[in-house]
Amino acid sequence: MHDDHHHSHGHHHDGDDHHHPHPPGHNGPAGKPLQWQTPHLPHDVLNEQPIDSRMVDIDLVETAFLEGFARAPDPSSFLRLAGIPFVGETADGLRLHLLRVETEDLVDVGAVMPLVGGAGVTYHPLPAKLTSHRRRLSFVYHDGTEQRHLGFAAARALADRSAAAQIDIAGH
């Protein structure tokens, strides 16, 4: 966050007693968001915005979903709370039924680089500080013919037809 922030006091201080102000969180943990907030706007303002408010900070929301879903005692309620439809409809009217939520942990530990001239690759194991931990989230829907894997944003973008589907199943 402040990688290029240097202090030149002319002499060395022990500890944290330099005498100029810093914003809150200046010495907080690196890489951790200090605040996660979406401004609350009146509904009429939201409806006039061309930007889809559901897409704001979608990566933070997806991370929060991953962490919460893994510990949720009631996964079905958690899905409803997160706005993931059990029965969704795409923009072109295709109805999808949610079968499964898949989470996958990925850890990158090596890299390959093409050799000059294109004759093969060279492999480099990554040092610990360059390894990356990622989690992949996928919602597996059935479209009547085959399974489709949707990401978090795509699943949330489906029109929710869950209530209508429950009526269909009940035979009304």
Side-chain angles (χ1 to χ4, degrees):
M1 202 186 227
H2 293 284
D3 293 342
D4 59 346
H5 188 99
H6 298 287
H7 300 287
S8 55
H9 294 286
H11 57 281
H12 180 71
H13 282 294
D14 286 323
D16 204 19
D17 61 342
H18 40 268
H19 302 288
H20 52 273
H22 288 287
H26 173 78
N27 292 321
K32 299 269 194 248
L34 298 172
Q35 181 176 335
W36 175 28
Q37 191 172 29
T38 303
H40 297 284
L41 300 170
H43 290 292
D44 55 337
V45 173
L46 277 175
N47 292 338
E48 291 171 9
Q49 286 184 323
I51 298 168
D52 186 347
S53 61
R54 291 179 301 183
M55 298 308 287
V56 174
D57 293 332
I58 196 73
D59 53 339
L60 292 175
V61 176
E62 184 172 354
T63 300
F65 177 90
L66 271 163
E67 291 171 1
F69 188 74
R71 294 191 299 267
D74 180 356
S76 295
S77 294
F78 195 89
L79 287 166
R80 283 187 200 94
L81 184 66
I84 304 293
F86 287 86
V87 179
E89 198 170 287
T90 63
D92 57 1
L94 183 64
R95 195 160 280 204
L96 303 176
H97 299 87
L98 182 62
L99 300 178
R100 182 170 54 249
V101 179
E102 294 179 353
T103 60
E104 191 177 6
D105 288 307
L106 307 157
V107 183
D108 295 316
V109 296
V112 292
M113 303 290 283
L115 291 171
V116 178
V121 297
T122 177
Y123 172 73
H124 301 284
L126 295 172
K129 67 181 179 183
L130 294 180
T131 60
S132 72
H133 295 261
R134 293 175 291 137
R135 298 184 80 187
R136 186 180 295 153
L137 174 64
S138 181
F139 297 90
V140 182
Y141 282 87
H142 197 274
D143 66 6
T145 306
E146 62 185 5
Q147 293 183 9
R148 291 182 173 212
H149 293 254
L150 299 182
F152 185 69
R156 283 176 50 95
L158 293 171
D160 194 339
R161 302 289 184 248
S162 302
Q166 288 169 352
I167 292 169
D168 293 345
I169 292 165
H172 295 294

Short mmCIF file of all heavy atoms in Angstrom, two decimals, residues 17-75:
data_model
loop_
_atom_site.label_atom_id
_atom_site.label_comp_id
_atom_site.label_asym_id
_atom_site.label_seq_id
_atom_site.Cartn_x
_atom_site.Cartn_y
_atom_site.Cartn_z
N ASP A 17 7.94 6.43 17.17
CA ASP A 17 7.69 7.76 17.73
C ASP A 17 8.07 8.88 16.77
O ASP A 17 8.60 9.89 17.17
CB ASP A 17 8.42 7.91 19.07
CG ASP A 17 9.92 7.77 18.93
OD1 ASP A 17 10.40 7.24 17.92
OD2 ASP A 17 10.62 8.20 19.86
N HIS A 18 7.83 8.71 15.44
CA HIS A 18 8.08 9.86 14.58
C HIS A 18 6.93 10.85 14.73
O HIS A 18 5.83 10.49 15.10
CB HIS A 18 8.36 9.47 13.12
CG HIS A 18 7.52 8.37 12.55
ND1 HIS A 18 7.91 7.06 12.60
CD2 HIS A 18 6.33 8.39 11.92
CE1 HIS A 18 7.00 6.33 12.01
NE2 HIS A 18 6.03 7.11 11.60
N HIS A 19 7.19 12.12 14.43
CA HIS A 19 6.28 13.18 14.86
C HIS A 19 5.52 13.84 13.72
O HIS A 19 5.48 15.04 13.64
CB HIS A 19 7.08 14.25 15.63
CG HIS A 19 7.79 13.67 16.82
ND1 HIS A 19 7.14 13.28 17.96
CD2 HIS A 19 9.10 13.38 17.02
CE1 HIS A 19 8.01 12.79 18.82
NE2 HIS A 19 9.22 12.84 18.27
N HIS A 20 4.99 13.06 12.82
CA HIS A 20 4.10 13.65 11.83
C HIS A 20 2.88 12.75 11.68
O HIS A 20 2.96 11.56 11.90
CB HIS A 20 4.81 13.90 10.49
CG HIS A 20 5.53 12.72 9.94
ND1 HIS A 20 6.82 12.42 10.27
CD2 HIS A 20 5.13 11.77 9.08
CE1 HIS A 20 7.20 11.33 9.63
NE2 HIS A 20 6.18 10.91 8.90
N PRO A 21 1.73 13.35 11.35
CA PRO A 21 0.48 12.57 11.39
C PRO A 21 0.40 11.55 10.26
O PRO A 21 0.95 11.76 9.18
CB PRO A 21 -0.60 13.64 11.23
CG PRO A 21 0.08 14.77 10.54
CD PRO A 21 1.52 14.73 10.97
N HIS A 22 -0.27 10.45 10.52
CA HIS A 22 -0.55 9.43 9.52
C HIS A 22 -2.04 9.15 9.56
O HIS A 22 -2.66 9.24 10.62
CB HIS A 22 0.20 8.13 9.85
CG HIS A 22 1.67 8.23 9.60
ND1 HIS A 22 2.20 8.25 8.35
CD2 HIS A 22 2.72 8.32 10.46
CE1 HIS A 22 3.51 8.33 8.44
NE2 HIS A 22 3.85 8.39 9.71
N PRO A 23 -2.62 8.76 8.43
CA PRO A 23 -4.03 8.37 8.47
C PRO A 23 -4.21 7.11 9.30
O PRO A 23 -3.27 6.33 9.45
CB PRO A 23 -4.36 8.10 6.99
CG PRO A 23 -3.06 7.86 6.32
CD PRO A 23 -2.04 8.62 7.12
N PRO A 24 -5.40 6.88 9.84
CA PRO A 24 -5.64 5.65 10.62
C PRO A 24 -5.32 4.44 9.76
O PRO A 24 -5.63 4.42 8.56
CB PRO A 24 -7.14 5.71 10.92
CG PRO A 24 -7.55 7.12 10.70
CD PRO A 24 -6.57 7.72 9.74
N GLY A 25 -4.69 3.45 10.35
CA GLY A 25 -4.38 2.23 9.63
C GLY A 25 -3.09 2.30 8.85
O GLY A 25 -2.76 1.37 8.14
N HIS A 26 -2.32 3.40 8.97
CA HIS A 26 -1.08 3.55 8.21
C HIS A 26 -0.14 2.38 8.45
O HIS A 26 0.48 1.88 7.54
CB HIS A 26 -0.39 4.87 8.60
CG HIS A 26 0.98 5.02 7.99
ND1 HIS A 26 1.15 5.40 6.69
CD2 HIS A 26 2.22 4.83 8.51
CE1 HIS A 26 2.45 5.44 6.44
NE2 HIS A 26 3.12 5.11 7.51
N ASN A 27 -0.05 1.95 9.71
CA ASN A 27 0.85 0.85 10.04
C ASN A 27 0.09 -0.46 10.23
O ASN A 27 0.55 -1.36 10.88
CB ASN A 27 1.64 1.17 11.32
CG ASN A 27 2.62 2.30 11.06
OD1 ASN A 27 3.22 2.36 10.00
ND2 ASN A 27 2.74 3.21 12.00
N GLY A 28 -1.12 -0.54 9.66
CA GLY A 28 -1.93 -1.75 9.78
C GLY A 28 -1.37 -2.86 8.91
O GLY A 28 -0.38 -2.68 8.19
N PRO A 29 -2.01 -4.02 8.95
CA PRO A 29 -1.51 -5.16 8.17
C PRO A 29 -1.58 -4.87 6.67
O PRO A 29 -2.59 -4.38 6.18
CB PRO A 29 -2.45 -6.31 8.56
CG PRO A 29 -3.64 -5.67 9.17
CD PRO A 29 -3.20 -4.34 9.70
N ALA A 30 -0.51 -5.16 5.96
CA ALA A 30 -0.45 -4.87 4.52
C ALA A 30 -1.41 -5.78 3.78
O ALA A 30 -1.55 -6.94 4.11
CB ALA A 30 0.97 -5.10 4.02
N GLY A 31 -2.07 -5.23 2.77
CA GLY A 31 -2.92 -6.03 1.92
C GLY A 31 -4.31 -6.29 2.45
O GLY A 31 -5.11 -6.91 1.80
N LYS A 32 -4.61 -5.89 3.66
CA LYS A 32 -5.94 -6.11 4.22
C LYS A 32 -6.75 -4.83 4.05
O LYS A 32 -6.29 -3.75 4.42
CB LYS A 32 -5.85 -6.42 5.72
CG LYS A 32 -5.07 -7.68 6.02
CD LYS A 32 -5.98 -8.86 6.06
CE LYS A 32 -5.31 -10.05 6.69
NZ LYS A 32 -5.05 -11.12 5.80
N PRO A 33 -7.97 -4.93 3.48
CA PRO A 33 -8.77 -3.71 3.38
C PRO A 33 -9.15 -3.20 4.77
O PRO A 33 -9.53 -3.99 5.62
CB PRO A 33 -10.01 -4.16 2.60
CG PRO A 33 -10.00 -5.64 2.64
CD PRO A 33 -8.61 -6.10 2.95
N LEU A 34 -8.97 -1.93 4.99
CA LEU A 34 -9.28 -1.36 6.30
C LEU A 34 -10.78 -1.11 6.43
O LEU A 34 -11.30 -1.04 7.52
CB LEU A 34 -8.53 -0.03 6.48
CG LEU A 34 -7.02 -0.16 6.44
CD1 LEU A 34 -6.36 1.21 6.43
CD2 LEU A 34 -6.54 -0.95 7.65
N GLN A 35 -11.46 -0.98 5.30
CA GLN A 35 -12.87 -0.66 5.35
C GLN A 35 -13.54 -1.28 4.15
O GLN A 35 -13.02 -1.23 3.05
CB GLN A 35 -13.03 0.86 5.33
CG GLN A 35 -14.45 1.34 5.40
CD GLN A 35 -14.50 2.86 5.48
OE1 GLN A 35 -13.56 3.48 5.91
NE2 GLN A 35 -15.58 3.42 5.04
N TRP A 36 -14.70 -1.87 4.34
CA TRP A 36 -15.44 -2.44 3.23
C TRP A 36 -16.84 -1.88 3.31
O TRP A 36 -17.61 -2.22 4.18
CB TRP A 36 -15.45 -3.95 3.35
CG TRP A 36 -16.29 -4.64 2.33
CD1 TRP A 36 -16.59 -4.19 1.09
CD2 TRP A 36 -16.93 -5.90 2.47
NE1 TRP A 36 -17.38 -5.10 0.43
CE2 TRP A 36 -17.60 -6.15 1.26
CE3 TRP A 36 -17.01 -6.84 3.48
CZ2 TRP A 36 -18.33 -7.32 1.05
CZ3 TRP A 36 -17.74 -7.98 3.25
CH2 TRP A 36 -18.38 -8.21 2.06
N GLN A 37 -17.14 -0.97 2.41
CA GLN A 37 -18.39 -0.26 2.53
C GLN A 37 -18.88 0.17 1.17
O GLN A 37 -18.11 0.59 0.32
CB GLN A 37 -18.15 0.98 3.40
CG GLN A 37 -19.40 1.68 3.84
CD GLN A 37 -19.06 2.77 4.83
OE1 GLN A 37 -17.99 3.35 4.80
NE2 GLN A 37 -19.98 3.07 5.69
N THR A 38 -20.16 0.02 0.95
CA THR A 38 -20.79 0.55 -0.25
C THR A 38 -21.72 1.65 0.22
O THR A 38 -22.51 1.44 1.14
CB THR A 38 -21.61 -0.55 -0.96
OG1 THR A 38 -20.73 -1.63 -1.24
CG2 THR A 38 -22.21 -0.03 -2.25
N PRO A 39 -21.63 2.84 -0.36
CA PRO A 39 -22.47 3.93 0.12
C PRO A 39 -23.95 3.59 -0.05
O PRO A 39 -24.34 2.96 -1.03
CB PRO A 39 -22.09 5.12 -0.77
CG PRO A 39 -21.22 4.59 -1.84
CD PRO A 39 -20.77 3.22 -1.46
N HIS A 40 -24.74 3.97 0.93
CA HIS A 40 -26.18 3.74 0.87
C HIS A 40 -26.83 4.94 0.20
O HIS A 40 -26.75 6.05 0.70
CB HIS A 40 -26.74 3.54 2.27
CG HIS A 40 -26.18 2.33 2.93
ND1 HIS A 40 -26.58 1.06 2.61
CD2 HIS A 40 -25.22 2.18 3.87
CE1 HIS A 40 -25.91 0.18 3.32
NE2 HIS A 40 -25.07 0.83 4.09
N LEU A 41 -27.46 4.69 -0.93
CA LEU A 41 -28.09 5.76 -1.69
C LEU A 41 -29.60 5.53 -1.71
O LEU A 41 -30.05 4.39 -1.61
CB LEU A 41 -27.55 5.77 -3.13
CG LEU A 41 -26.04 5.98 -3.25
CD1 LEU A 41 -25.60 5.73 -4.69
CD2 LEU A 41 -25.67 7.40 -2.85
N PRO A 42 -30.36 6.58 -1.87
CA PRO A 42 -31.82 6.39 -1.99
C PRO A 42 -32.13 5.51 -3.20
O PRO A 42 -31.40 5.49 -4.18
CB PRO A 42 -32.35 7.82 -2.23
CG PRO A 42 -31.25 8.73 -1.81
CD PRO A 42 -29.96 7.97 -1.94
N HIS A 43 -33.23 4.75 -3.12
CA HIS A 43 -33.57 3.80 -4.18
C HIS A 43 -33.73 4.48 -5.54
O HIS A 43 -33.36 3.92 -6.55
CB HIS A 43 -34.85 3.03 -3.82
CG HIS A 43 -34.63 2.08 -2.69
ND1 HIS A 43 -33.83 0.97 -2.82
CD2 HIS A 43 -35.08 2.07 -1.42
CE1 HIS A 43 -33.80 0.32 -1.67
NE2 HIS A 43 -34.55 0.96 -0.80
N ASP A 44 -34.30 5.69 -5.58
CA ASP A 44 -34.49 6.33 -6.87
C ASP A 44 -33.15 6.71 -7.52
O ASP A 44 -33.01 6.68 -8.73
CB ASP A 44 -35.42 7.56 -6.76
CG ASP A 44 -34.93 8.56 -5.72
OD1 ASP A 44 -34.18 8.15 -4.81
OD2 ASP A 44 -35.30 9.75 -5.81
N VAL A 45 -32.15 7.02 -6.70
CA VAL A 45 -30.81 7.32 -7.24
C VAL A 45 -30.21 6.05 -7.83
O VAL A 45 -29.67 6.04 -8.92
CB VAL A 45 -29.89 7.92 -6.15
CG1 VAL A 45 -28.46 8.05 -6.67
CG2 VAL A 45 -30.43 9.26 -5.69
N LEU A 46 -30.33 4.92 -7.09
CA LEU A 46 -29.78 3.66 -7.56
C LEU A 46 -30.39 3.25 -8.89
O LEU A 46 -29.70 2.76 -9.77
CB LEU A 46 -30.05 2.54 -6.54
CG LEU A 46 -29.07 2.45 -5.37
CD1 LEU A 46 -29.53 1.40 -4.40
CD2 LEU A 46 -27.68 2.13 -5.86
N ASN A 47 -31.70 3.45 -9.05
CA ASN A 47 -32.37 3.01 -10.27
C ASN A 47 -31.95 3.82 -11.48
O ASN A 47 -32.04 3.34 -12.60
CB ASN A 47 -33.89 3.09 -10.10
CG ASN A 47 -34.37 2.06 -9.09
OD1 ASN A 47 -33.70 1.07 -8.83
ND2 ASN A 47 -35.54 2.30 -8.52
N GLU A 48 -31.48 5.04 -11.29
CA GLU A 48 -31.09 5.87 -12.43
C GLU A 48 -29.63 5.69 -12.82
O GLU A 48 -29.22 6.18 -13.85
CB GLU A 48 -31.34 7.35 -12.09
CG GLU A 48 -32.82 7.69 -11.99
CD GLU A 48 -33.07 9.09 -11.45
OE1 GLU A 48 -32.10 9.86 -11.31
OE2 GLU A 48 -34.22 9.40 -11.15
N GLN A 49 -28.86 4.98 -11.99
CA GLN A 49 -27.44 4.81 -12.31
C GLN A 49 -27.25 3.79 -13.42
O GLN A 49 -27.86 2.73 -13.39
CB GLN A 49 -26.67 4.32 -11.08
CG GLN A 49 -26.47 5.40 -10.03
CD GLN A 49 -25.64 4.88 -8.88
OE1 GLN A 49 -25.76 3.74 -8.49
NE2 GLN A 49 -24.79 5.72 -8.35
N PRO A 50 -26.41 4.10 -14.41
CA PRO A 50 -26.15 3.11 -15.46
C PRO A 50 -25.32 1.94 -14.96
O PRO A 50 -25.38 0.85 -15.48
CB PRO A 50 -25.39 3.91 -16.52
CG PRO A 50 -24.79 5.06 -15.77
CD PRO A 50 -25.71 5.34 -14.62
N ILE A 51 -24.53 2.13 -13.90
CA ILE A 51 -23.68 1.07 -13.36
C ILE A 51 -24.54 0.15 -12.50
O ILE A 51 -25.35 0.62 -11.70
CB ILE A 51 -22.54 1.67 -12.49
CG1 ILE A 51 -21.65 2.55 -13.36
CG2 ILE A 51 -21.73 0.58 -11.82
CD1 ILE A 51 -20.69 3.41 -12.56
N ASP A 52 -24.39 -1.16 -12.70
CA ASP A 52 -25.15 -2.13 -11.92
C ASP A 52 -24.57 -2.17 -10.51
O ASP A 52 -23.43 -2.58 -10.30
CB ASP A 52 -25.05 -3.50 -12.58
CG ASP A 52 -25.94 -4.54 -11.91
OD1 ASP A 52 -26.44 -4.27 -10.81
OD2 ASP A 52 -26.12 -5.61 -12.50
N SER A 53 -25.36 -1.77 -9.53
CA SER A 53 -24.86 -1.69 -8.15
C SER A 53 -24.46 -3.06 -7.62
O SER A 53 -23.67 -3.16 -6.69
CB SER A 53 -25.91 -1.05 -7.24
OG SER A 53 -27.08 -1.85 -7.23
N ARG A 54 -25.01 -4.14 -8.21
CA ARG A 54 -24.64 -5.48 -7.75
C ARG A 54 -23.19 -5.82 -8.10
O ARG A 54 -22.63 -6.76 -7.54
CB ARG A 54 -25.56 -6.53 -8.37
CG ARG A 54 -26.97 -6.46 -7.85
CD ARG A 54 -27.85 -7.49 -8.49
NE ARG A 54 -27.89 -7.32 -9.94
CZ ARG A 54 -28.63 -8.06 -10.75
NH1 ARG A 54 -29.37 -9.02 -10.27
NH2 ARG A 54 -28.61 -7.85 -12.05
N MET A 55 -22.59 -5.08 -9.03
CA MET A 55 -21.24 -5.38 -9.45
C MET A 55 -20.18 -4.63 -8.62
O MET A 55 -19.00 -4.84 -8.79
CB MET A 55 -21.05 -5.03 -10.93
CG MET A 55 -21.94 -5.84 -11.87
SD MET A 55 -21.84 -7.62 -11.62
CE MET A 55 -20.22 -7.92 -12.32
N VAL A 56 -20.62 -3.76 -7.71
CA VAL A 56 -19.69 -2.99 -6.90
C VAL A 56 -18.96 -3.94 -5.94
O VAL A 56 -19.58 -4.70 -5.23
CB VAL A 56 -20.43 -1.89 -6.10
CG1 VAL A 56 -19.48 -1.19 -5.14
CG2 VAL A 56 -21.06 -0.89 -7.05
N ASP A 57 -17.65 -3.89 -5.96
CA ASP A 57 -16.83 -4.72 -5.06
C ASP A 57 -17.19 -6.20 -5.12
O ASP A 57 -17.19 -6.87 -4.10
CB ASP A 57 -16.94 -4.21 -3.62
CG ASP A 57 -16.31 -2.86 -3.44
OD1 ASP A 57 -15.38 -2.53 -4.20
OD2 ASP A 57 -16.74 -2.11 -2.54
N ILE A 58 -17.51 -6.71 -6.32
CA ILE A 58 -17.97 -8.09 -6.43
C ILE A 58 -16.91 -9.07 -5.93
O ILE A 58 -17.23 -10.10 -5.35
CB ILE A 58 -18.42 -8.43 -7.88
CG1 ILE A 58 -19.25 -9.71 -7.92
CG2 ILE A 58 -17.24 -8.53 -8.83
CD1 ILE A 58 -20.63 -9.57 -7.36
N ASP A 59 -15.62 -8.75 -6.10
CA ASP A 59 -14.58 -9.67 -5.63
C ASP A 59 -14.58 -9.75 -4.10
O ASP A 59 -14.40 -10.83 -3.53
CB ASP A 59 -13.20 -9.28 -6.16
CG ASP A 59 -12.85 -7.84 -5.88
OD1 ASP A 59 -13.76 -7.02 -5.64
OD2 ASP A 59 -11.65 -7.51 -5.91
N LEU A 60 -14.82 -8.64 -3.42
CA LEU A 60 -14.90 -8.66 -1.95
C LEU A 60 -16.12 -9.44 -1.49
O LEU A 60 -16.06 -10.20 -0.53
CB LEU A 60 -14.97 -7.23 -1.40
CG LEU A 60 -13.72 -6.37 -1.57
CD1 LEU A 60 -13.99 -4.96 -1.07
CD2 LEU A 60 -12.55 -6.98 -0.81
N VAL A 61 -17.23 -9.26 -2.18
CA VAL A 61 -18.45 -9.97 -1.83
C VAL A 61 -18.27 -11.47 -2.06
O VAL A 61 -18.66 -12.29 -1.24
CB VAL A 61 -19.66 -9.43 -2.63
CG1 VAL A 61 -20.92 -10.23 -2.35
CG2 VAL A 61 -19.89 -7.96 -2.32
N GLU A 62 -17.61 -11.81 -3.17
CA GLU A 62 -17.36 -13.23 -3.47
C GLU A 62 -16.47 -13.87 -2.41
O GLU A 62 -16.71 -14.98 -1.96
CB GLU A 62 -16.73 -13.38 -4.86
CG GLU A 62 -16.55 -14.82 -5.28
CD GLU A 62 -16.09 -14.97 -6.73
OE1 GLU A 62 -16.02 -13.96 -7.46
OE2 GLU A 62 -15.81 -16.12 -7.11
N THR A 63 -15.45 -13.14 -1.98
CA THR A 63 -14.57 -13.65 -0.92
C THR A 63 -15.34 -13.87 0.37
O THR A 63 -15.20 -14.89 1.03
CB THR A 63 -13.40 -12.67 -0.68
OG1 THR A 63 -12.66 -12.55 -1.90
CG2 THR A 63 -12.47 -13.16 0.41
N ALA A 64 -16.19 -12.90 0.72
CA ALA A 64 -17.01 -13.03 1.93
C ALA A 64 -17.96 -14.22 1.80
O ALA A 64 -18.18 -14.97 2.76
CB ALA A 64 -17.80 -11.74 2.18
N PHE A 65 -18.52 -14.43 0.59
CA PHE A 65 -19.41 -15.57 0.36
C PHE A 65 -18.66 -16.88 0.59
O PHE A 65 -19.14 -17.77 1.28
CB PHE A 65 -19.98 -15.54 -1.06
CG PHE A 65 -20.85 -16.74 -1.36
CD1 PHE A 65 -22.20 -16.71 -1.09
CD2 PHE A 65 -20.29 -17.90 -1.88
CE1 PHE A 65 -23.00 -17.82 -1.34
CE2 PHE A 65 -21.08 -19.02 -2.11
CZ PHE A 65 -22.44 -18.98 -1.85
N LEU A 66 -17.47 -16.98 0.00
CA LEU A 66 -16.66 -18.20 0.13
C LEU A 66 -16.40 -18.53 1.59
O LEU A 66 -16.54 -19.68 2.02
CB LEU A 66 -15.33 -18.03 -0.60
CG LEU A 66 -15.30 -18.42 -2.06
CD1 LEU A 66 -14.09 -17.82 -2.75
CD2 LEU A 66 -15.30 -19.93 -2.21
N GLU A 67 -15.99 -17.51 2.36
CA GLU A 67 -15.67 -17.74 3.77
C GLU A 67 -16.90 -18.13 4.57
O GLU A 67 -16.86 -19.03 5.40
CB GLU A 67 -15.00 -16.50 4.35
CG GLU A 67 -13.62 -16.27 3.77
CD GLU A 67 -13.01 -14.94 4.16
OE1 GLU A 67 -13.66 -14.17 4.91
OE2 GLU A 67 -11.89 -14.64 3.70
N GLY A 68 -18.03 -17.45 4.30
CA GLY A 68 -19.24 -17.72 5.06
C GLY A 68 -19.91 -19.03 4.66
O GLY A 68 -20.41 -19.76 5.52
N PHE A 69 -19.94 -19.32 3.37
CA PHE A 69 -20.63 -20.53 2.89
C PHE A 69 -19.99 -21.79 3.46
O PHE A 69 -20.69 -22.74 3.81
CB PHE A 69 -20.62 -20.57 1.36
CG PHE A 69 -21.48 -21.67 0.80
CD1 PHE A 69 -22.86 -21.57 0.82
CD2 PHE A 69 -20.90 -22.81 0.25
CE1 PHE A 69 -23.66 -22.59 0.31
CE2 PHE A 69 -21.69 -23.83 -0.26
CZ PHE A 69 -23.08 -23.72 -0.24
N ALA A 70 -18.66 -21.79 3.57
CA ALA A 70 -17.95 -22.96 4.10
C ALA A 70 -18.37 -23.28 5.53
O ALA A 70 -18.33 -24.43 5.95
CB ALA A 70 -16.44 -22.72 4.03
N ARG A 71 -18.79 -22.26 6.29
CA ARG A 71 -19.14 -22.46 7.69
C ARG A 71 -20.65 -22.39 7.95
O ARG A 71 -21.08 -22.50 9.09
CB ARG A 71 -18.46 -21.38 8.54
CG ARG A 71 -16.95 -21.48 8.56
CD ARG A 71 -16.34 -20.58 9.60
NE ARG A 71 -16.62 -19.17 9.36
CZ ARG A 71 -15.83 -18.35 8.67
NH1 ARG A 71 -14.74 -18.80 8.15
NH2 ARG A 71 -16.16 -17.09 8.52
N ALA A 72 -21.43 -22.20 6.90
CA ALA A 72 -22.88 -22.01 7.09
C ALA A 72 -23.55 -23.30 7.55
O ALA A 72 -23.43 -24.33 6.91
CB ALA A 72 -23.51 -21.54 5.78
N PRO A 73 -24.30 -23.24 8.68
CA PRO A 73 -25.02 -24.43 9.13
C PRO A 73 -26.20 -24.75 8.21
O PRO A 73 -26.63 -25.89 8.13
CB PRO A 73 -25.51 -24.06 10.53
CG PRO A 73 -25.47 -22.56 10.58
CD PRO A 73 -24.42 -22.11 9.60
N ASP A 74 -26.71 -23.75 7.50
CA ASP A 74 -27.84 -23.95 6.59
C ASP A 74 -27.49 -23.37 5.22
O ASP A 74 -27.75 -22.19 4.95
CB ASP A 74 -29.09 -23.26 7.18
CG ASP A 74 -30.32 -23.42 6.30
OD1 ASP A 74 -30.21 -24.01 5.19
OD2 ASP A 74 -31.38 -22.95 6.71
N PRO A 75 -26.84 -24.17 4.36
CA PRO A 75 -26.39 -23.66 3.06
C PRO A 75 -27.51 -23.07 2.20
O PRO A 75 -27.30 -22.09 1.51
CB PRO A 75 -25.77 -24.88 2.38
CG PRO A 75 -25.40 -25.80 3.50
CD PRO A 75 -26.44 -25.57 4.57
#
